[in-house]
Amino acid sequence: MPQVLFKVDLTKPMSEQELVGHNRWHPDIPAVVSVNPGDVFRIECKDWTDGQIKNDDNPDDIRDVDLTVVHVLSGPIYVNGAQPGDILVVDILDIGALQGDEWGFTGIFAKENGGGFLTEHFPTAAKAIWDFQGIYTASRHIPKVRFAGITHPGLIGCAPSQELLNKWNKREAELVATNPDRVPPLAELPNPKNAILGSLKGAEFERVAAEAARTVPPREHGGNCDIKNLSRGSRIYFPVYVEGAKLSMGDIHFSQGDGEISFCGAIEMSGYIDLHVDIIKGGMDKYAMINPIFKPGPVEPRYSEYLVFEGISVDEFTGQQYYMDAHVAYRRACLNAIEYLKKFGFTGEQAYLLLSCAPVEGRISGIVDIPNACCTIALPTEIFQMDILPS
């Protein structure tokens, strides 16, 4: 087993760990460990909510989760020799559940507390607990379903420079200002409440907490991209914006569908990640890199039979025609799949959770045929312990 450089105690919050991670992005959060190019090492991670969700049948913890805590990340990891303008190469060698904690959860967040892709249709909190058996999982809350997961870090990335951080905060504040009273908000702006910033203390903590970006969205550095195929065997190329790169990760998912549509839509878990790192000097200019790129690994569930649902860019409430709007089209595809699954005994909430966490395939299938974008969601039929085909 590789050396464990960041170990977590699941009985303690992140702020009380032996090595304290972080839940904000800022270049001045101190690194907790350092590695050399070529090193192989293991990082342990808590679940993204820092242990707020329990293995029970009561969704009140999903309803009441404190989102100022998320996402708790392990790191930063300082990579010796990495300089701004380089590319940090990260290989995911292995990833899995921590021993004794082989379970996860999927949630629908209440509209007033984060919401989700379909929050206007499902405004109330709900959850499903999943038990792991090797690569397979099943849930007592969604019967007649069993599938193999494709485990991955929902969130992984390097620290931003101060210049990049300032750009994030400016553009996101301008977006929020267009509709400041929206529920859920258009973006989560810097918020010192419950900030975890590694070993920072006193006035330096207060300064960084006031500036640091929330971890909610993906950005130029990577971050919360929630890409299900970023799994075992994947190689990721990250732009480096600060000395040492300061790599961090967390939000491990046992499984997820494309889009993670319920927001807490993956099967969230604690876990470990085995990594190998290297550096491409001057790689950002050499390859015109702005955002990360990655090469998927060879490991994924072998599903070959799918039922594919289409959606077009027409609003389901008003019938309004949108022009080439993939967001609306994907929403319609998901809603069509949910209504279909309700005919086979699933509740709308169960179907919504399932589309969020099972390895469904989402596509922009057509983006040129005016006025309708066409999006599809492909549901693997082999995950069901019954026939769901039309007959």
Side-chain angles (χ1 to χ4, degrees):
M1 185 180 81
Q3 181 183 2
V4 181
L5 297 186
F6 194 104
K7 191 171 181 62
V8 297
D9 182 342
L10 296 178
T11 68
K12 296 179 180 180
M14 180 60 80
S15 60
E16 298 177 10
Q17 298 291 321
E18 183 177 349
L19 291 177
V20 177
H22 60 106
N23 63 356
R24 303 289 191 271
W25 291 114
H26 196 286
D28 295 338
I29 298 172
V32 293
V33 294
S34 65
V35 298
N36 292 316
D39 282 355
V40 173
F41 53 91
R42 174 169 291 191
I43 300 295
E44 295 183 353
C45 304
K46 296 199 70 183
D47 83 85
W48 73 298
T49 72
D50 204 10
Q52 294 184 65
I53 310 303
K54 306 305 178 187
N55 186 353
D56 60 28
D57 303 328
N58 188 343
D60 287 355
D61 51 7
I62 290 284
R63 181 195 64 195
D64 300 331
V65 68
D66 188 343
L67 291 179
T68 64
V69 174
V70 302
H71 301 75
V72 289
L73 304 179
S74 297
I77 300 159
Y78 189 99
V79 182
N80 295 320
Q83 295 291 331
D86 294 344
I87 287 175
L88 181 67
V89 183
V90 178
D91 293 311
I92 299 178
L93 304 179
D94 197 11
I95 184 168
L98 294 177
Q99 187 173 4
D101 204 49
E102 296 91 353
W103 67 278
F105 62 90
T106 304
I108 299 172
F109 273 28
K111 180 179 179 180
E112 61 272 16
N113 191 27
F117 188 53
L118 304 179
T119 194
E120 300 301 327
H121 296 267
F122 300 95
T124 305
K127 78 176 178 184
I129 300 296
W130 298 85
D131 297 307
F132 308 152
Q133 293 180 329
I135 66 169
Y136 293 98
T137 190
S139 172
R140 61 186 180 269
H141 298 121
I142 306 179
K144 298 184 179 179
V145 171
R146 182 175 182 264
F147 56 84
I150 179 168
T151 310
H152 59 280
L155 197 159
I156 184 169
C158 298
S161 65
Q162 187 68 51
E163 179 184 13
L164 184 58
L165 174 65
N166 294 343
K167 287 181 179 179
W168 294 351
N169 287 340
K170 180 177 184 295
R171 73 193 185 198
E172 290 172 24
E174 289 172 348
L175 175 63
V176 170
T178 64
N179 189 359
D181 299 321
R182 185 179 185 272
V183 178
L186 288 169
E188 293 287 354
L189 302 180
N191 183 355
K193 181 182 178 183
N194 288 322
I196 303 169
L197 304 173
S199 60
L200 289 181
K201 304 289 184 185
E204 188 70 354
F205 179 96
E206 299 299 327
R207 177 187 69 82
V208 171
E211 298 176 353
R214 298 299 303 279
T215 59
V216 177
R219 299 184 179 95
E220 289 89 338
H221 69 145
N224 193 30
C225 294
D226 292 316
I227 301 170
K228 76 175 193 299
N229 297 96
L230 201 69
S231 187
R232 294 177 184 88
S234 294
R235 169 167 285 188
I236 318 166
Y237 302 88
F238 288 106
V240 175
Y241 292 101
V242 299
E243 182 179 322
K246 291 188 173 180
L247 176 70
S248 299
M249 68 218 64
D251 187 28
I252 296 180
H253 299 163
F254 183 85
S255 177
Q256 182 203 299
D258 285 334
E260 198 189 10
I261 58 175
S262 77
F263 177 46
C264 183
I267 300 179
E268 311 284 352
M269 58 183 276
S270 65
Y272 68 86
I273 310 178
D274 293 345
L275 301 171
H276 166 270
V277 295
D278 211 335
I279 298 169
I280 299 175
K281 300 302 294 181
M284 287 181 66
D285 282 343
K286 183 177 181 180
Y287 295 106
M289 177 176 283
I290 297 175
N291 297 80
I293 59 178
F294 78 98
K295 182 178 182 297
V299 179
E300 64 179 319
R302 290 179 175 269
Y303 293 115
S304 58
E305 300 292 332
Y306 289 86
L307 193 59
V308 182
F309 297 85
E310 298 181 15
I312 57 174
S313 47
V314 176
D315 187 88
E316 67 273 18
F317 290 114
T318 66
Q320 179 181 349
Q321 176 74 65
Y322 285 85
Y323 180 78
M324 309 307 291
D325 192 321
H327 184 276
V328 174
Y330 196 60
R331 185 175 74 230
R332 293 301 305 270
C334 292
L335 289 169
N336 289 340
I338 289 169
E339 289 302 311
Y340 183 88
L341 289 174
K342 286 166 66 174
K343 299 297 185 181
F344 291 84
F346 295 99
T347 67
E349 288 76 14
Q350 287 174 324
Y352 186 21
L353 290 166
L354 189 58
L355 294 183
S356 298
C357 67
V360 304
E361 299 285 335
R363 297 285 188 273
I364 297 177
S365 299
I367 201 70
V368 296
D369 296 319
I370 61 173
N372 276 326
C374 178
C375 288
T376 57
I377 187 166
L379 185 60
T381 57
E382 295 127 303
I383 73 174
F384 296 94
Q385 296 172 338
M386 57 181 170
D387 184 4
I388 66 161
L389 294 179
S391 62

